[in-house]
Amino acid sequence: MGSNPVTWLGSPVFPKAAKAALADTQLRRNLRKATHTIRDKRTRVVSELPDWEELRRAGEAIKDDVLSNLDTYLERIEAAVTARGGVVHWARDAREANEIVLRLAREAGTDEVVKVKSMATAEIGLNEALEAGGIRAIETDLAELIVQLGHDRPSHILVPAIHRNRSEIKEIFQREMAEKPVSDEPRELAEAARRHLRRKFLSAKVAVSGANFGVADTGSIVVVESEGNGRMCLTLPEVLITVMGIEKLVPTWQDLEVFLQLLPRSSTAERMNPYTSVWTGVTPGDGPQQFHLVLLDNGRTDALADRVGRQALRCIRCSACLNVCPVYERTGGQAYGSVYPGPIGAILSPQLVNDMHDKQAASLPYASSLCGACYEVCPVRINIPEVLVHLRAEAVEAKGRTPESVGMAALGWLFADARRYENAQKVGSLARHLAPSGRISSLPWPGSKWTSTRDVPTPPAESFRTWWRRNRG
Amino acid sequence: MADARSVVLGRIRRALADRPAAAAIPRSYDVTRPLGDLVELAAERIADYRAEVHQVASADVPAKIASLLAARGARRMVGPVDLPSSWQVDGAEWLIDSPSLTIDQLDAADGVLTGCAVAIAETGTIVLDGGEAQGRRALTLVPDYHLCVARADQIVGIVPEALARLEPTRPLTFISGPSATSDIELDRVEGVHGPRTLHVIIAT
């Protein structure tokens, strides 16, 4: 693994991984059910707020301000955290961040840490680094626990085990837990997780968390969660280590009034998530008496240097873009080969890797139909399609002439001439004769590249252009 | 070799060589909103998370506490050091956090009773800040049952109004319903690691 394990070593390029995922009908069913459940709920709670668009615009502007003055705000939060009894560390990359956390855990004299779900620590491969250093990292978020016990990889930003349904989760728990759940009722499975982790929480000495927000002015750190596992980790241990990406800042406490409305509604589709914790340095007599904040770069400054791509650093990791993406819904998250899947992953991962000669990273900006649904739901208005197209250009530049660029050139030729386009449509219409039922489940090559993983509606007998000429021409 | 701090700050300054000007932040979103009767709305929204809500006159709070504890069979109750004495009703043994209770004592208790700092009607949220009648964070986390008393004057309409009332450097906990998870098929179920039962008394 290089210094930047944002993408998983040995992952195939996206089209290849997607093809394997599409063959898994169970996976497609699980994903469809989950994404549609959350999508509908999100629409309902967002429509409750008359000022949703104003909140999005404010969120966008606040994050742009943070990025434009990132050095100033980082120095500010460092000073504020230090003044309140915390210790601030800086990490250029994954390796350096992992070394800091490992050293701090060793100094605390423990061989086990409890963890709050955190994208930053997943991105840097912290658990594996701690394991290699002889320290066990215990994931306490239910979905992370399902992934960890299932010896699996995450597939969603908010719900890493979204690709598993209740009966698969029951099987994992029955295999791995001392006190086994008896049914696949979600309530029973949650209860099993509670029993499994209870003693760990009550006896843990060191906890590791990420951060949803850091307030530059006050040094306050915010963690947004649902289960109370976060509160357990943030409250009971003696030592708390928080790993935070440098872009996770907001300038002032007041700015949180925007994000505490945008985030819950966009992520779990709730008016508010069950628990939000805010702490500032160390509070005598309440919570961990040692607090360390690790500020993580790991490719973020490379993304910041890209004038089009830097907007990806506004991301607050809500995962709304995953839940509406037609590509994500069919392939699932693991096909993206990174802890950041879906539309945001397709623009964030390649930028963090920052090497378009890396075939897997360079394939990610193509994991999209550019339908724009992700942009529409993004609470901080990241123009994901714009960045996708920008990164495709970079990938093409890095690669030179390829089948993709040849294909695009051919399409250009087809669209450039009206008669050529019409003739191509007529050929498509002939496909009707293959499918009297109205669905085509297999086409001859090159159409088979498409139909091996999905059904195609039969093209109409007549193209719109022909119909128009006949009726109105 | 340069230290990590100056390397990262140096990278940022180079990355921002185009000096992107940040636009003014448009704060045209609502900072308050006419929501009608805030007590009614708070009660409805908190209950929406399957927390139990009871509205009573201030004078009747102790009697309501007593009846709720009796109905649950909660006998060993935790309370912060400044828990009002009128709330420490007969029928329960009161474990007051002075000297500090151990985690095992908290775990063995039947529940905890606190006040709150602010409640947000629109989102159905109560906020604890470790101030009056609230105590340190562990008290409301380890016991499986949390009974919280909110006064009507502590209820605000929307999130910006709540943040304006709070001091960010205090340890804060925003609570919206009992512990829950959406991790199984993205459908919410109540009850994981935090208190699995939340009752709120709104004193009017």
Side-chain angles (χ1 to χ4, degrees):
Chain A
M1 198 184 291
S3 66
N4 200 336
V6 173
T7 50
W8 300 321
L9 194 68
S11 290
V13 293
F14 183 80
K16 207 169 163 196
K19 195 163 181 195
L22 286 164
D24 184 341
T25 51
Q26 179 67 59
L27 175 74
R28 281 159 81 177
R29 259 201 305 277
N30 294 352
L31 284 169
R32 189 180 157 76
K33 175 157 190 284
T35 55
H36 282 255
T37 301
I38 197 86
R39 211 188 272 194
D40 300 343
K41 278 192 195 166
R42 180 199 159 276
T43 309
R44 268 203 306 282
V45 295
V46 162
S47 65
E48 273 182 12
L49 289 191
D51 58 343
W52 183 252
E53 282 311 311
E54 284 83 1
L55 287 167
R56 285 179 78 212
R57 289 196 183 271
E60 172 188 19
I62 291 166
K63 279 292 181 180
D64 279 349
D65 173 42
V66 166
L67 295 177
S68 302
N69 301 287
L70 192 55
D71 47 349
T72 310
Y73 289 133
L74 284 170
E75 287 176 321
R76 200 170 289 172
I77 197 170
E78 178 187 41
V81 168
T82 308
R84 299 276 308 188
V87 182
V88 176
H89 310 257
W90 298 69
R92 280 165 276 214
D93 54 23
R95 190 185 49 80
E96 191 163 37
N98 289 334
E99 278 169 8
I100 293 166
V101 178
L102 181 62
R103 176 171 55 78
L104 293 171
R106 280 185 178 148
E107 281 171 11
T110 188
D111 58 1
E112 202 168 85
V113 301
V114 286
K115 281 190 67 204
V116 188
K117 176 175 157 26
S118 138
M119 291 311 296
T121 62
E123 170 194 321
I124 61 178
L126 176 67
N127 293 4
E128 294 75 15
L130 288 177
E131 199 82 59
I135 290 181
R136 219 153 72 83
I138 299 162
E139 292 292 352
T140 65
D141 168 77
L142 179 54
E144 291 283 9
L145 183 69
I146 295 164
V147 170
Q148 193 173 44
L149 293 180
H151 311 285
D152 200 355
R153 274 175 166 166
S155 68
H156 191 277
I157 288 174
L158 175 74
V159 189
I162 195 176
H163 55 293
R164 301 289 195 186
N165 65 21
R166 60 186 71 187
S167 63
E168 294 172 286
I169 295 166
K170 183 192 80 177
E171 279 169 30
I172 293 169
F173 280 10
Q174 284 185 334
R175 199 172 58 229
E176 301 282 334
M177 285 179 174
E179 287 180 71
K180 304 177 188 317
V182 292
S183 84
D184 65 2
E185 266 308 298
R187 192 171 304 277
E188 161 81 12
L189 297 171
E191 166 72 25
R194 180 185 173 98
R195 284 194 308 259
H196 182 72
L197 288 172
R198 190 79 183 167
R199 284 323 302 175
K200 293 284 178 209
F201 284 133
L202 302 188
S203 61
K205 272 179 93 170
V206 178
V208 178
S209 85
N212 290 96
F213 306 102
V215 182
D217 265 7
T218 63
S220 311
I221 307 294
V222 183
V223 163
V224 170
E225 52 129 359
S226 295
E227 297 165 13
N229 65 306
R231 293 178 69 194
M232 289 281 178
C233 294
L234 302 173
T235 310
L236 300 183
E238 295 159 25
V239 181
L240 172 60
I241 306 166
T242 297
V243 181
M244 181 172 85
I246 52 174
E247 83 287 16
K248 294 254 125 185
L249 299 179
V250 295
T252 68
W253 172 247
Q254 192 204 344
D255 295 322
L256 276 180
E257 70 191 16
V258 174
F259 295 101
L260 288 185
Q261 297 191 75
L262 288 174
L263 180 55
R265 283 182 161 86
S266 299
S267 59
T268 52
E270 292 164 304
R271 295 185 182 110
M272 193 64 99
N273 50 290
Y275 299 130
T276 296
S277 295
V278 183
W279 73 97
T280 309
V282 171
T283 304
D286 189 346
Q289 296 300 294
Q290 267 191 60
F291 172 56
H292 296 272
L293 177 64
V294 182
L295 298 172
L296 174 74
D297 180 349
N298 203 41
R300 284 161 178 75
T301 48
D302 292 324
L304 188 65
D306 186 318
R307 290 174 197 203
V308 179
R310 63 167 61 125
Q311 59 185 305
L313 297 176
R314 281 187 216 138
C315 176
I316 56 172
R317 311 283 190 264
C318 72
S319 68
C321 62
L322 277 59
N323 301 332
V324 298
C325 177
V327 175
Y328 177 88
E329 184 189 322
R330 285 161 181 85
T331 66
Q334 293 178 347
Y336 295 78
S338 160
V339 293
Y340 299 112
I344 187 63
I347 63 171
L348 193 58
S349 307
Q351 292 199 82
L352 295 179
V353 172
N354 194 31
D355 176 12
M356 280 300 183
H357 295 286
D358 176 327
K359 281 199 175 119
Q360 197 272 334
S363 74
L364 291 174
Y366 294 90
S368 167
S369 64
L370 301 179
C371 78
C374 47
Y375 182 25
E376 237 167 83
V377 297
C378 178
V380 288
R381 293 172 45 86
I382 300 169
N383 190 337
I384 294 176
E386 180 190 27
V387 183
L388 285 167
V389 171
H390 169 73
L391 293 176
R392 285 181 187 185
E394 283 190 0
V396 168
E397 207 175 311
K399 251 193 321 190
R401 201 169 164 81
T402 63
E404 170 87 14
S405 67
V406 172
M408 283 297 180
L411 269 182
W413 175 81
L414 200 59
F415 284 122
D417 180 283
R419 215 177 44 233
R420 279 204 289 263
Y421 177 63
E422 225 166 295
N423 284 335
Q425 280 192 320
K426 279 188 194 142
V427 174
S429 292
L430 290 178
R432 280 177 66 78
H433 302 296
L434 301 172
S437 68
R439 301 294 290 179
I440 299 171
S441 50
S442 75
L443 279 174
W445 192 91
S448 62
K449 299 281 260 185
W450 177 264
T451 54
S452 66
T453 46
R454 43 178 113 49
D455 298 341
V456 186
T458 327
E462 189 173 41
S463 78
F464 175 74
R465 291 168 65 94
T466 323
W467 175 88
W468 179 265
R469 186 158 338 106
R470 192 161 54 78
N471 288 285
R472 301 276 185 281
Chain B
M1 194 175 76
D3 65 301
R5 182 181 189 279
S6 42
V7 169
V8 173
L9 288 172
R11 287 176 183 171
I12 292 169
R13 287 170 189 139
R14 274 196 306 282
L16 295 173
D18 62 320
R19 300 250 159 250
I25 293 159
R27 300 216 185 251
S28 49
Y29 56 84
D30 298 348
V31 290
T32 181
R33 193 176 300 146
L35 291 169
D37 185 338
L38 292 185
V39 169
E40 281 303 323
L41 182 64
E44 175 207 314
R45 293 286 162 91
I46 295 170
D48 222 25
Y49 299 123
R50 286 176 225 169
E52 212 175 286
V53 184
H54 301 270
Q55 296 180 50
V56 300
S58 296
D60 300 332
V61 168
K64 187 42 107 177
I65 292 170
S67 72
L68 286 172
L69 298 186
R72 256 189 92 75
R75 298 214 172 73
R76 294 169 56 81
M77 288 294 292
V78 168
V81 61
D82 57 347
L83 191 72
S85 55
S86 67
W87 293 4
Q88 297 175 37
V89 297
D90 292 341
E93 176 196 351
W94 291 92
L95 307 165
I96 298 302
D97 191 33
S98 171
S100 290
L101 298 165
T102 64
I103 289 175
D104 285 338
Q105 282 176 304
L106 295 177
D107 195 33
D110 294 326
V112 58
L113 171 63
T114 69
C116 70
V118 177
I120 312 170
E122 201 263 337
T123 59
T125 304
I126 54 173
V127 188
L128 310 182
D129 72 354
E132 189 191 344
Q134 295 158 68
R136 63 194 166 104
R137 287 172 289 171
L139 304 189
T140 53
L141 172 63
V142 179
D144 200 17
Y145 168 60
H146 183 191
L147 174 56
C148 181
V149 180
R151 297 193 313 264
D153 66 4
Q154 291 173 321
I155 301 175
V156 299
I158 64 176
V159 172
E161 294 168 283
L163 262 54
R165 282 198 189 190
L166 292 164
E167 167 57 49
T169 53
R170 301 183 72 104
L172 303 176
T173 309
F174 293 61
I175 299 173
S176 306
S179 161
T181 181
S182 304
D183 282 353
I184 301 167
E185 300 175 12
L186 274 174
D187 224 350
R188 178 173 168 134
V189 294
E190 285 76 26
V192 201
H193 304 292
R196 288 180 289 186
T197 307
L198 174 67
H199 289 173
V200 177
I201 297 174
I202 300 179
T204 53

